Amino acid sequence: MPVTRHGPLPPQPYDVTVVGAGVVGSAVARALARHPRLRVALLEARDDVGEGTSKANTAILHTGFDATPGSLEARLVREGARMLTAYAAETGIAVEPVGGLLVAWDEEQLAALPDLVAKAGCNGCHDTRLLGPAELYAREPHLGAGALGALHVPGESIVDPWTTNLAYATQAVRHGVDLHLNSPVRHIGVQDGVHTLTTARGPLHTRRLVNAAGLHADSLDRLLGHRDFTVTPRRGQLIVFDAFARDLVRHILLPVPTALGKGVLVAPTVYGNVLLGPTAEDLDDKRATQSTAEGLALLREKGRRILPRLLDEEVTAVYAGLRAATEHDDYRIRAHPGQAGVTVGGIRSTGLTASLAIADHVMGLLKRAGLDPGPVRELEPVRLPDLGAASPRPCERPERVAADPEYGILVCHCERVSRGEIRDALAGTIPPRGLDGLRRRTRARAGRCQGAYCGAAVRALLEEGTAHDA
């Protein structure tokens, strides 16, 4: 079985093993799958792909306009944005090029905008433009009072992050990569050129290792004897407002960035609602993904200034994610030729955008470190459901309902999710084994009622569809 969740791992050594099935690790596994001669494993500590940092972000496809010029991050974000835009069109991943507005609320912020124009130019983003108050408010009539101007970044887009991660992993698995879930790495030993990874499911042997473990990349590095960086989990809390709020905002509304990150923003999502966040709280606990009263109060305070009417709208959900911040200003992607490995660390909020370019960069490092991947093949495209609000759902397509009536039986009315879509997700290449995974694949229980009406029916379908995996 190319996807396993329990039982011992295969005894034969893999050529390459990628640890971490987030958006970056899955992209690396997909890149390795282009070489049919390689035997590749994708190892994940949790029970689904994209269960860590990748599932809780602001879902922005960045231009990299404000990255540090000349940095590895700047280059990979710029390349990755082009690659992911093309990949999304091929795969059915929802993307909306809404553009961004970097709003200045005081004279100091206004004075910083010309430098950001220059920085954007250094990063290959030449279409930015300064806006005065009149044009700014014409573009965003519901913006709070007192804004002095803005920097318009037309290329900023919003994207479906969950389907992106799933698409990479699905394509990898369909082309021979073994995905082993529920397999946290506890120890690493090396003997005769082979790494032995001690996991919760027993040993796994591999000749080469790619550490894409996200929040735990520094811990995995230390098992190999390296202390190149330390991950400090940076919690970002966010508020999701109901789809009725969508008409209040037309662009991604960005603050002038600080040393802690891009700050609190207001952004539409491809799913049709509005995000407010994130906070930026440096913590010690890599499991602290709970929301706090203080964090949500801060977001409401910031949101009241940016878009006052947003605070009158219904809140659909709150969530928090942890970003892998380090003491360095750039990605920490390093080859360890003597240990036949590559570490992919310090991948912050731009990792989604840069993911495909990071994967190509890692392949280059592996080759320079001695990997002979053999011949290259083109991957068969995957086509996953478009979960964007701008596209009709299957229940709204008469021809699909006529061909399969299951698409006409709604289970989740808020998000218009049918029995047919849930059935398809449960029969997918990488099926979900929990309600959260099913929600990321279909939007079931993600709408206005948050499962209050559909929860029992969705759970029943999940249990029926996963009974064989008990």
Side-chain angles (χ1 to χ4, degrees):
M1 286 290 290
V3 180
T4 71
R5 286 184 166 83
H6 43 70
L9 299 171
Q12 299 86 2
Y14 287 93
D15 294 306
V16 187
T17 293
V18 181
V19 178
V23 71
V24 171
S26 296
V28 173
R30 173 187 173 275
L32 287 162
R34 298 180 65 228
H35 301 276
R37 197 174 74 185
L38 295 178
R39 187 164 182 263
V40 179
L42 178 57
L43 207 61
E44 169 55 41
R46 305 195 191 190
D47 69 353
D48 199 1
V49 299
E51 273 283 349
T53 296
S54 298
K55 75 174 181 181
N57 57 53
T58 50
I60 294 175
L61 181 53
H62 296 281
T63 57
F65 76 96
D66 59 345
T68 301
S71 66
L72 180 61
E73 180 179 20
R75 176 171 69 82
L76 296 181
V77 169
R78 187 167 59 248
E79 295 172 1
R82 291 193 294 266
M83 297 170 74
L84 181 50
T85 299
Y87 184 78
E90 174 187 274
T91 308
I93 298 167
V95 174
E96 291 185 43
V98 295
L101 290 172
L102 201 72
V103 180
W105 295 97
D106 58 39
E107 293 292 345
E108 183 180 356
Q109 293 176 5
L110 187 66
L113 295 184
D115 287 342
L116 285 168
V117 172
K119 179 183 277 190
C122 291
N123 287 319
C125 190
H126 300 291
D127 57 354
T128 61
R129 189 165 63 90
L130 295 174
L131 307 181
E135 186 172 358
L136 171 59
Y137 281 97
R139 286 179 171 273
E140 289 291 348
H142 301 292
L143 192 68
L148 303 181
L151 175 64
H152 183 213
V153 188
E156 295 283 292
S157 301
I158 52 177
V159 64
D160 175 354
W162 302 332
T163 304
T164 303
N165 198 153
L166 181 63
Y168 293 164
T170 296
Q171 208 167 18
V173 168
R174 288 184 182 177
H175 289 83
V177 172
D178 289 346
L179 171 61
H180 300 302
L181 301 165
N182 298 315
S183 303
V185 176
R186 295 171 175 167
H187 181 71
I188 302 175
V190 184
Q191 186 174 2
D192 297 329
V194 175
H195 296 80
T196 297
L197 281 58
T198 302
T199 80
R201 294 174 51 192
L204 180 139
H205 309 287
T206 185
R207 296 182 180 88
R208 285 176 172 80
L209 181 64
V210 177
N211 170 10
L215 289 168
H216 302 281
D218 59 339
S219 301
L220 202 64
D221 240 22
R222 280 160 173 69
L223 293 178
L224 294 166
H226 306 295
R227 293 186 175 273
D228 186 42
F229 62 95
T230 297
V231 171
T232 298
R234 182 168 292 163
R235 180 166 61 193
Q237 302 185 50
L238 297 106
I239 301 175
V240 184
F241 288 89
D242 189 82
F244 284 126
R246 178 62 181 84
D247 290 339
L248 294 178
V249 61
R250 301 172 182 175
H251 304 74
I252 304 164
L253 301 180
L254 299 155
V256 176
T258 70
L260 283 177
K262 299 182 184 299
V264 173
L265 57 83
V266 173
T269 76
V270 294
Y271 313 119
N273 43 30
V274 177
L275 285 182
L276 171 62
T279 59
E281 311 158 56
D282 286 349
L283 307 173
D284 296 323
D285 187 354
K286 294 181 179 181
R287 300 167 297 175
T289 56
Q290 68 273 19
S291 299
T292 67
E294 295 80 10
L296 299 179
L298 172 67
L299 292 180
R300 293 183 68 86
E301 177 188 339
K302 299 281 189 181
R304 187 171 288 109
R305 183 179 194 186
I306 301 167
L307 207 67
R309 285 183 55 185
L310 184 62
L311 277 298
D312 297 329
E313 299 293 333
E314 293 289 333
V315 172
T316 297
V318 299
Y319 68 93
L322 298 175
R323 289 161 276 173
T326 74
E327 67 273 40
H328 302 282
D329 294 330
D330 202 356
Y331 294 163
R332 307 305 291 173
I333 304 179
R334 297 285 186 274
H336 307 294
Q339 294 176 319
V342 174
T343 294
V344 187
I347 309 301
R348 299 181 293 271
S349 58
T350 55
L352 169 63
T353 301
S355 52
L356 290 172
I358 291 173
D360 280 358
H361 183 65
V362 169
M363 284 299 304
L365 291 176
L366 286 169
K367 291 174 185 176
R368 287 195 290 275
L371 174 66
D372 177 8
V376 179
R377 63 179 168 184
E378 290 300 316
L379 300 179
E380 290 293 323
V382 297
R383 191 78 186 176
L384 297 184
D386 183 340
L387 301 182
S391 298
R393 300 303 296 263
C395 67
E396 299 169 313
R397 297 183 176 187
E399 72 283 1
R400 293 200 68 178
V401 176
D404 187 342
E406 289 284 285
Y407 291 123
I409 303 173
L410 287 187
V411 178
C412 171
H413 286 74
C414 296
E415 294 293 320
R416 297 161 293 154
V417 183
S418 65
R419 284 179 59 98
E421 292 168 89
I422 293 175
R423 174 204 62 201
D424 293 348
L426 292 170
T429 302
I430 307 173
R433 286 298 175 263
L435 290 168
D436 285 347
L438 184 59
R439 176 173 58 193
R440 291 194 293 273
R441 288 163 174 81
T442 65
R443 298 283 298 159
R445 297 172 59 253
R448 190 165 299 130
C449 82
Q450 288 289 289
Y453 292 101
C454 67
V458 172
R459 181 180 290 277
L461 289 171
L462 175 69
E463 291 175 351
E464 178 185 341
T466 57
H468 66 280
D469 197 50

